């Protein structure tokens, strides 16, 4: 049996982007079974993946002992190919017919295109995400079909990537007036809760699915039922785009040329200023609303 070892990221955005490389490998090796190595925060992305023989959740240990433990786990197998998106030494310490090691750092073009070049793929696939039937059934009860749901990602990896609180709240109210039903999405943990609190306070009657109250698999199924997603550069933005939800990414002090969302209906709106230095506070509500509604109408027309 042919086996592929795929070592991917531990953070949500990078892991979602890596799904494009994974799709390319699945197409290249249609008879192979895959072992996925990832961090605990993103393991739900691969839980329902077809041909996934094994999912190894790698917990960080002192002195990089997690890499040694991984090597001991995988060295006994003969791999058809090893894909290492973490640029670790593990990929060189196992038997494999072929190996692809993707180096990090800032390079030209979208990250998924960088991965495609490293893998020798002629074109970059979109990320593919698999949902579980149980999570989809639960999402349907929470977000019924009669709602035109609008997901608002109100946090980001760094605070200067976040659209101002008042702008988010005004945008949500204006979209409500147009018939949309907003819901707030953000990550788990105390930091995310702190960043989300001001928007939650201004929108007390808006559905809140953030803060870790749902698993990542459940959050993905909930976002998949939305008609539109708006938010800053974040893992949830990449997740929405991978689910083919019309996704508008708001970019200021980050590089859309590298980290723009990728999907059938994914677009970006740039804050005024040079790339990587845009001021999120200068993104006007009316401009975001115009771009979001235009994207929604284009997607609905297809």
């Amino acid at each position: 049996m042919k086996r592929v070892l795929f070592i991917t990221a531990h953070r949500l955005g990078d892991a979602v982007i890596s799904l494009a490389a994974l799709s390319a490998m699945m197409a290249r090796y249609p008879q192979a079974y895959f072992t996925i190595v990832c961090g605990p925060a993103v393991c739900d992305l691969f839980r329902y993946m077809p041909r996934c023989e094994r999912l190894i959740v790698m917990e960080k240990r002192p002195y990089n002992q997690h890499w040694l433990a991984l090597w001991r786990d995988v060295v006994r197998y003969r791999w058809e190919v090893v894909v290492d998106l973490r640029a670790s030494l593990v990929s060189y310490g196992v038997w494999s017919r072929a190996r692809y090691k993707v180096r990090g750092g800032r390079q030209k073009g979208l990250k998924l295109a960088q991965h495609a070049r490293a893998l020798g793929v002629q074109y970059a696939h979109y990320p593919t995400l698999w949902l579980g039937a149980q999570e989809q059934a639960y999402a349907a009860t929470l977000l019924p079909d009669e709602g035109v749901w609008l997901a608002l990602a109100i946090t980001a990896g760094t605070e200067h990537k976040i659209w101002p609180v008042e702008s988010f709240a005004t945008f949500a109210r204006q979209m409500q007036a147009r018939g949309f039903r907003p819901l707030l999405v953000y990550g788990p943990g105390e930091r995310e809760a702190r960043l989300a609190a001001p928007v939650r306070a201004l929108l007390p009657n808006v559905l809140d699915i953030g803060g870790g109250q749902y698993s990542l698999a459940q959050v993905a199924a909930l976002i998949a039922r939305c008609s539109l997603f708006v938010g800053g550069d974040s893992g949830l933005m990449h997740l929405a785009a991978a689910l083919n939800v019309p996704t508008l990414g708001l970019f200021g002090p980050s590089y859309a040329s590298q980290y723009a969302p990728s999907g059938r209906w994914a677009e970006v709106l740039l804050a005024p200023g040079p790339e990587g230095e845009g001021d999120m506070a200068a993104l006007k509500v009316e401009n975001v609303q115009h771009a979001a509604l235009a994207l929604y109408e284009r997607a609905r027309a297809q």
Side-chain angles (χ1 to χ4, degrees), residues 138-145 149 183 207 209 221-223 225-226:
Y138 176 74
T141 65
L142 194 61
L143 304 182
D145 289 334
W149 298 98
L183 65 151
L207 181 62
I209 65 168
L222 289 164
I223 290 176
R225 294 188 63 78
C226 293

Side-chain angles (χ1 to χ4, degrees), residues 10 41 44 50 58 69 74 76 131 173 220 225 230 233 285:
H10 65 285
D44 274 3
M58 188 169 61
V74 301
R76 63 182 183 270
L131 301 177
R173 295 190 190 103
R225 294 188 63 78
V230 177
D233 178 17
V285 173

Side-chain angles (χ1 to χ4, degrees), residues 85-97:
L85 302 184
R86 297 287 300 277
S88 73
L89 295 176
V90 172
S91 56
Y92 291 118
V94 299
W95 191 98
S96 178
R97 293 184 183 275

